[in-house]
Amino acid sequence: MGRILMTLFIFLIFNYPVFASVTFSNVNSELALNQAVLFTVSDNSKLAGDESWVSDPKLLNRAPEQYLHFKVTVDNQFSRQIPVWFSITFPAMKTLLVSDGTTSWETGDSFPYSSRPIMTPNYHFPSILPASRTTVFSGYMTGEILRYNFSIATPEYFNNGYMKVLQRDMAFFGAMVLLTALCLLGYFASRNLVFLSFATFIFATTFWFFRVFGYAFEILWPNTPNMNDITYAISVYAVLISAFWVIFQTLARENHKVFGATTIKVFCAALPLFGILLWQTLGLDIALKLPLIIFFPYILITCTVIYVEHKRGSDRAKWLAAAMLPVTFCALVLIISALFTVDLYLDPITTFMTGIVMTCFFMVALTAKYVVKVMQRERDAQKQTAFLKSEQASKLEALVRERTLALEETNKTLAELASKDSLTALPNRRFLDLFIDNSFDSNLHDFDTLTIAMFDLDHFKNINDTLGHDAGDEVLKAVGSVLAPLNSNNQVAARYGGEEFAVVRRINALDGILSNSVDEFAQLLREVHAAINSLAIDAMGKRQLGACIGWTVCEGSGDIAEAFRRADKALYEAKHKGRNLIVSAVPQSHAGEKSGFA
């Protein structure tokens, strides 16, 4: 008898996990439920009662036609009823049923938009947590692709979040619509297919975001949910194909065939057909992942084509490479997040949106010059026939002037946006590079020497990991407030990337001036270092913030790259010596000027 009871006890332990509840104790934040949700599968919507529940759905060998059941227990710590929304964010499932024990809701991607209890892109289910009691949320979902993220919070919390997201999305869509209109205007004005290809790419990308964010479900086809899968596939393939079109159309020249153009055209024509074949044979999930997987050879192909065309004498190739860099990097972040379970410390969607906007603005800025040239030629032609059509020529000239001024204003705004770090409000690395390049331009300045300092915050990754990214952002902002007053016409304090900062000062290398200037710069670094050490940051408590600084003197335009290597090497030397130090890397020509160095 004892053996039977022991066997039964062991069976229960290994097959029925403990149903630990999640405590809801803060109405001002969102409570993540993923770690507490239990899962099981069945062949139909009803459970037999003898299923094994697991906390990791990857342990379940679920077939596409089977039901994935879930349940989670929420314990209300308040002595009053709390209205909440049980939420499934960034969802993908055909059928979804949710119950809180009192009310049941049935919805899903295969249901009309009106089936959602709350009309939002995510699934929200309104419920009330009883005072000082637990509530079990349960249900099931079906579909070939299942994507979900469980959480719970008050309606006010979610509504506030949606307001912020809506502002971000509308700003993005507004920028993309404006860029599409500008490209179409450029196409109709010049009949150059570069503008049309870029307008197509922007439109395809915008539609993809419109579909992914769920706005299309509500606005375009609320009563025809069967459009969801096909439109997603079309948008994904359209983005990839239009990206190829942009590359080859931009590099196209008169009486010149772009390297690999024919092969890529055949590939783009066959890609949708191959996707449909995968859909019908291996499933929708594989078909939708195909464009994401192809992104990696796409980067390789694009780099090869740009390199070959550059070697063939294409001046556009290097500008195209620079313009495509932001969206390529950000798309890489998005795709790695989609294909692999990895935390890149970046929001994939926001990062990709940022990359798209940066690339689009860069391309518009490049093509704006071409538009101005086209309009200038038209104006010159009108001037040549002014004695016959004086009134018509005058109107055209006024129109050209208006468009030119509008483009100049747009370029000015884009330059300001592209030169500033959004988090710390410091100049960014791009602005710093331009500052250094201009420093040795004799037509602009009379400087021939720079002092360069590289900053790196000590144990910043540990701050993010232990205190959270909000604390990390607070630290970066605090350091930015220390460095911001250093900016002037002859000195730039910039965010170099991540937790790295840089300070660059222009000085004149005349005898007697250089030594004093270097000493002043060394003293400035000590003061800045002390200010960083003395920062009182609420999120860090009593922990002191440390920083390593490596710095050097740049002896002319030919020494820029080597000077940054010296400063960076000194920075790592400071880390190896115990961190929170200042280390100089002075060239031999300045060996007698170390007295002011830390």
Side-chain angles (χ1 to χ4, degrees), residues 430-562:
R430 177 179 178 275
F431 183 89
L432 182 68
D433 292 341
L434 292 175
F435 175 83
I436 294 173
D437 292 341
N438 292 336
S439 297
F440 297 108
D441 190 339
S442 59
N443 295 322
L444 299 175
H445 301 285
D446 186 23
F447 297 96
D448 50 14
T449 305
L450 298 175
T451 50
I452 299 173
M454 300 292 291
F455 291 65
D456 188 279
L457 302 182
D458 292 342
H459 306 296
F460 184 75
K461 183 179 184 301
N462 181 262
I463 294 174
N464 272 337
D465 292 343
T466 59
L467 301 179
H469 293 284
D470 290 340
D473 290 347
E474 187 176 343
V475 170
L476 294 176
K477 291 178 183 177
V479 175
S481 67
V482 172
L483 297 179
L486 305 183
N487 285 292
S488 64
N489 290 335
N490 293 325
Q491 181 170 272
V492 169
R495 185 181 179 189
Y496 201 69
E499 70 272 21
E500 290 189 347
F501 299 84
V503 177
V504 177
R505 175 186 285 184
R506 297 166 174 159
I507 60 175
N508 196 305
L510 295 177
D511 291 339
I513 296 179
L514 176 59
S515 179
N516 293 335
S517 299
V518 171
D519 289 343
E520 291 174 2
F521 190 71
Q523 179 60 29
L524 173 67
L525 294 181
R526 286 192 287 269
E527 293 173 357
V528 171
H529 188 255
I532 292 175
N533 286 165
S534 62
L535 283 172
I537 302 174
D538 295 338
M540 293 181 59
K542 295 182 178 180
R543 290 173 57 177
Q544 180 189 20
L545 181 64
C548 291
I549 303 176
W551 69 286
T552 188
V553 177
C554 176
E555 301 177 308
S557 59
D559 188 40
I560 293 175
E562 186 61 34

Side-chain angles (χ1 to χ4, degrees), residues 37-42 44-47 53 66-73 86 88 93 95-101 103-107 125 136-142 146 150:
V37 179
L38 298 176
F39 300 89
T40 190
V41 296
S42 69
N44 51 61
S45 61
K46 301 296 183 181
L47 292 174
W53 292 82
Q66 286 186 303
Y67 290 72
L68 178 64
H69 295 262
F70 60 87
K71 60 182 175 181
V72 60
T73 303
F86 178 78
I88 303 178
M93 65 278 293
T95 302
L96 172 64
L97 184 138
V98 173
S99 174
D100 63 357
T103 307
S104 296
W105 303 270
E106 187 173 14
T107 181
F125 304 93
V136 178
F137 293 93
S138 60
Y140 61 78
M141 59 184 74
T142 64
L146 295 183
F150 297 97

Side-chain angles (χ1 to χ4, degrees), residues 179-326:
L179 288 170
T180 304
L182 288 174
C183 290
L184 290 176
L185 179 63
Y187 170 71
F188 289 119
S190 63
R191 297 299 174 181
N192 191 317
L193 289 176
V194 174
F195 294 98
L196 185 60
S197 67
F198 199 63
T200 304
F201 172 71
I202 298 174
F203 178 80
T205 305
T206 304
F207 179 76
W208 181 79
F209 274 109
F210 199 72
R211 161 63 180 77
V212 168
F213 291 165
Y215 297 113
F217 304 161
E218 179 181 8
I219 298 174
L220 299 182
W221 50 81
N223 298 316
T224 52
N226 57 324
M227 292 287 291
N228 293 337
D229 289 340
I230 185 64
T231 53
Y232 184 81
I234 291 174
S235 64
V236 170
Y237 283 83
V239 169
L240 184 63
I241 293 174
S242 60
F244 272 119
W245 190 21
V246 169
I247 296 296
F248 284 95
Q249 198 59 57
T250 303
L251 296 175
R253 289 177 287 169
E254 188 175 357
N255 299 323
H256 171 76
K257 186 176 181 180
V258 179
F259 176 76
T262 302
T263 303
I264 296 301
K265 288 178 181 178
V266 173
F267 171 78
C268 289
L271 182 60
L273 300 177
F274 187 57
I276 294 174
L277 179 63
L278 287 180
W279 188 346
Q280 298 301 317
T281 56
L282 300 180
L284 179 62
D285 189 26
I286 301 298
L288 294 182
K289 284 184 178 180
L290 176 64
L292 304 182
I293 297 173
I294 290 177
F295 177 78
F296 296 100
Y298 165 79
I299 294 178
L300 180 62
I301 293 171
T302 300
C303 292
T304 303
V305 171
I306 291 176
Y307 176 77
V308 172
E309 289 299 311
H310 177 67
K311 288 297 185 181
R312 289 179 175 180
S314 174
D315 185 58
R316 296 180 182 178
K318 59 182 180 181
W319 295 110
L320 178 63
M324 296 302 292
L325 183 61

